[in-house]
Amino acid sequence: MKKAILYINQFFGQIGGEDKAGIEPEIHEEHIGPALQFAKTLHAEITHTVICGDNYMGTNTDAAVETILGMLKDKEFDIFLAGPAFQAGRYGVACGTICKAVKEEFHVPVVTSMNEENPGVDMFKKEMYILQGGNIASKMRKDVTAMVNVANKILDGLPVGSASEDGYFPRGIRHMVWLKDKKPASERMVDMLVKKLNGLPFETELPIPKLDRVPIAPAVKDLTKAKIALLNTGGIVPVDNPDRIQSASATRWGRYDIADTTALKGGEYKTIHAGFDPAAADADPNVITPVDALKVLEKEGFFGRLHPYFYTTVGTGTTEAEARRMAREIVPYLEEDQVDACIMVST
């Protein structure tokens, strides 16, 4: 029987949450977490489950990859699976990173799954099959089924269908195929043209990706006279979180007065971000929102003036659509104060 190995993070590996996100890679000869669901229908035996903390993979990527590849060096496997990663950005990037490394090192097929909002999709979709997954863990059963469908075709030596047929993100690869209706391209083209001229719906055979290109802002001409605003996606808020900003998948943002503040103090401010260990940010909120450093630079004349408010939301799981909406709501405040540049602190 063919063999498979599964990669998951510390949460789905049943080790812990953010408090265990820094764990180094481990390998187990047993079915853990999603491996139990995969094993029900996968045409291969899952011999090992690899677990690694999302933070460790993100901050020690080379070491994590080297360690995992070393763990797999003496293992026999025909396919490598990772995830599903849903909308969890760090997890998605980790799945893509290790899948790419395993594919290049051992020349075996790799399959993973992510939500369309996961940054790992754009980073790795051309490198591997990434199934279009759900946004939360409750979609696990459906996402595993989709991954198994593609994995089984690969294991059984059957052709994987198109992206639209088998539900993975397009990889930019086009194949010559015979259509069932055997209609030549000239007729199909005329049919589409007629539909277009008559305002009827049609589906192009060559979809052009829509790229969200943001023009580069012009350089600040004179920093010593510039007004600077501070924004962050690290969830720094007053301890009572007055705007009720969500810890993940945010749809709200906050604006907080720092006109007479020289530094943010722990106990007065905290982070409500669910995507990282909050201990350091709770103890010193300036590590995410560096009001202290900017106040010093302002006093020294390094730049003209600091905007009297900082703006905050949470980035983890937040969709692009919501981020755009929140930005459009924040911008008028910056324009009103004639802000010349913004510092956006991420996590």
Side-chain angles (χ1 to χ4, degrees), residues 5 25 48 90 98 118 199 204 207 216 245 269 275 280 300 314 324:
I5 292 177
H48 296 82
R90 287 174 302 160
I98 195 59
N118 197 306
T204 178
I216 298 173
I245 300 172
Y269 291 87
E300 293 176 349
V314 168
R324 289 192 190 97

Side-chain angles (χ1 to χ4, degrees), residues 21-42:
I23 67 160
E24 298 184 18
E26 303 176 1
I27 188 166
H28 301 268
E29 292 185 5
E30 55 184 309
H31 295 168
I32 299 175
L36 296 168
Q37 185 67 28
F38 278 105
K40 293 179 181 179
T41 52
L42 186 68

Side-chain angles (χ1 to χ4, degrees), residues 272-320:
I272 43 87
H273 198 293
F276 61 87
D277 187 334
D282 285 348
D284 181 9
N286 297 281
V287 299
I288 299 293
T289 308
V291 173
D292 55 352
L294 287 171
K295 288 285 186 173
V296 170
L297 292 173
E298 179 185 27
K299 187 175 181 180
E300 293 176 349
F302 186 81
F303 64 90
R305 184 171 68 85
L306 183 63
H307 181 63
Y309 296 88
F310 78 85
Y311 301 79
T312 191
T313 188
V314 168
T316 186
T318 299
T319 66
E320 289 187 21

Side-chain angles (χ1 to χ4, degrees), residues 237-258:
V237 297
V239 289
D240 59 346
N241 189 13
D243 295 291
R244 299 295 181 263
I245 300 172
Q246 301 94 329
S247 295
S249 302
T251 60
R252 303 189 186 108
W253 56 275
R255 176 178 184 256
Y256 307 113
D257 191 339
I258 51 172

